[in-house]
Amino acid sequence: MGLGDDWEPPAVPALSPTETPLPAWASTKPDFAWLPGEDRELSRSIGDVTDGWVVNAVPIPQPHDHLRRIESQVPRELNYATREMIDLVESAAKHVAQAHPNSVLYLGNFGADGGGDIPYSVSHNSGRDGDLAFYMLDSSGKLAAPDDLLSFDSNGKARGADGTVYSFDVARNWKLVEGLALAGHGQIQFVFVSNALRGKLLAEAKRVKADAKLITTASEFLSQPGGALPHNDHFHIRLYCSERDVVSGCINGGRKNNGFASHDDARAKTIEAAEKLLGSADATVRLAATQRLGLLSSSGSAGLLAKRLNDDAAPVRAAAARALASMRREESAVSKRLAVETNAYVRAELVWALGDYGTKSATEALTAVLDAERLMTFDDGTSVDLRVFVADVLSLTEDARPVPALIELTASEDQTARFRANRALKMLTNHDPGAKPKASLHEAWQSWWKSHGKKSRDAWLLSGFSKFGVKAISVKYVWELTYAVLDDDHLSYNAQRMLMRLSKREAPSLEWAKSDANFYWRRWFERRCPRLGCPKVPPELTTLN
């Protein structure tokens, strides 16, 4: 693998016999920007399917006559979705049971209570995705209860862990697809399934002489996804945003099927109402309006939101900064506000907002803050140097320009500021100068800069990974990088960022334990290496056994 003889790899996490070692996550019920008069009980999907969340998520009803969760997946607690999704699945399962009595539909991953990232998929964030196991028959032709999702080949056959061969139950599975198309709950965008199984389903529809219009509808939403696994082990349903979702900040992505309803008129009316509420005498209403315009990515409201940076209420100013940063608008107004803001909470929010812009000017504005101590006192009496927040934000910029200023901050008398500057430098440079005899931390970084300051950041990254044998930013070295994920924090961070760069996929692995992130990236590349051209996975790193 190109690793040096003097380097000993960290232990590769062992696989659990019953579950992949991926992280647990806390269920959350996020706050939402309710406008006056809105129904606060119904579910709302916010954002897109890969970076969104859910308000008032609905649990899958259990016990249920026609629905059952796959037992091995129950501990994941991914049994929440929008009201439309739950109603759709219930209706479709009932449709199957009416044609084939006593049929039970087994369910895989839906989403967490409150939505958000899950380790088993890059989607399923906003309540509009759900995984359904295939109906399958055992060797005697009886309906089988799956212990887990099984992969079916082009002949519709699958082999269980005990060697039992199962058949794809094309009759029931077509009835399920028919039930989804007829349900009238939610607007289906996709039902992901492999091309081979899709062909069997549509052939069955023609055999039973299903309505031609229904077959056209089903053939449109039945689809093998591009750039992902073929979905030969389950159906993956995805819904478009409902009108209630759209006015809350839901984002549709991907293709638009025939009859797609955008609900743009309802969105425009909500934006207009929120803009008027920015002038309310009630600060809580102004706050909700500011937050809602941010959720709606209403870039046309940026000028009005910029005025809220001067609002009398600190929470409104903070919300305005966050909303503007999410739209990448009015960056100069946010920078100017930082120069005069006195509230500690808002100043911290302004710093994080500038980090979100990710522009050269925003980075320069943040770097300029490092020139002098700026103490902030929060409501609880805690005092923190603003430069601590700035260093944290700059550490995530992947930009070499702040390095000299951060090196100067390592000479600060504030111990926390020194610590955060040192951490930011390690993240940006992929190096740790370590303890030097008779040399301070500041002197160690000055010495490093003298030797490496003229090199590119990519050169710094490769130099930091040299002990792993990484010689280029290339898929040829993905396995060496997975080892680096298990190493020191700065090496782990940069290895994961490089893996994201090589895979062209953002993933939430930085929020997980290193062992979980290591497993995720080994699994991701192992499944895709034949297409990407990376080397065959070393036996000790395989995740598919």
Side-chain angles (χ1 to χ4, degrees), residues 469-481:
V470 178
K471 298 178 181 178
I473 300 174
S474 165
V475 291
K476 293 181 180 180
Y477 297 99
V478 293
W479 307 120
E480 288 85 344
L481 288 169

Side-chain angles (χ1 to χ4, degrees), residues 204-228:
E204 174 69 5
K206 293 176 181 179
R207 187 189 72 80
V208 299
K209 298 180 180 179
D211 180 77
K213 185 177 180 181
L214 187 148
I215 294 177
T216 298
T217 298
S219 65
E220 187 173 31
F221 65 60
L222 286 170
S223 176
Q224 178 173 306

Side-chain angles (χ1 to χ4, degrees), residues 40-122:
R40 298 190 174 213
E41 301 299 322
L42 295 175
S43 65
R44 292 171 185 257
S45 175
I46 315 298
D48 61 30
V49 295
T50 62
D51 192 24
W53 43 287
V54 192
V55 180
N56 297 330
V58 180
I60 295 167
Q62 293 284 280
H64 193 283
D65 289 343
H66 314 305
L67 300 176
R68 194 166 301 158
R69 296 162 64 194
I70 295 175
E71 188 172 351
S72 64
Q73 297 191 13
V74 168
R76 299 178 180 182
E77 298 184 5
L78 296 176
N79 59 317
Y80 292 84
T82 61
R83 177 77 271 168
E84 288 80 5
M85 176 63 83
I86 299 300
D87 288 347
L88 172 67
V89 173
E90 279 194 285
S91 178
K94 182 178 179 180
H95 183 78
V96 177
Q98 288 173 337
H100 302 275
N102 301 316
S103 295
V104 174
L105 176 63
Y106 281 82
L107 309 178
N109 294 334
F110 278 66
D113 187 6
D117 291 326
I118 65 172
Y120 308 97
S121 175
V122 296

Side-chain angles (χ1 to χ4, degrees), residues 27 31 160 178 192 211 222 326 337 464 469 481 506 522 539:
S27 292
D31 291 331
E178 183 180 73
F192 290 127
D211 180 77
L222 286 170
S326 70
R337 184 66 213 181
L481 288 169
E506 293 290 324
R522 284 159 47 208

Side-chain angles (χ1 to χ4, degrees), residues 51 293-294 297-300 302-303 305 320-334 352-362:
D51 192 24
L293 290 169
S297 299
S298 179
S299 57
L305 290 170
R322 180 170 294 192
L324 289 168
S326 70
M327 302 174 197
R328 304 298 189 268
R329 295 289 191 275
E330 300 287 343
E331 178 193 321
S332 61
V334 173
W352 284 103
L354 286 171
D356 284 343
Y357 283 106
T359 63
K360 178 180 178 180
S361 55

Side-chain angles (χ1 to χ4, degrees), residues 134-156:
F134 298 137
Y135 291 99
M136 58 187 189
L137 306 174
D138 62 20
S139 56
S140 65
K142 294 182 179 179
L143 186 64
D147 294 327
D148 208 338
L149 302 178
L150 297 180
S151 298
F152 286 80
D153 62 22
S154 58
N155 295 315

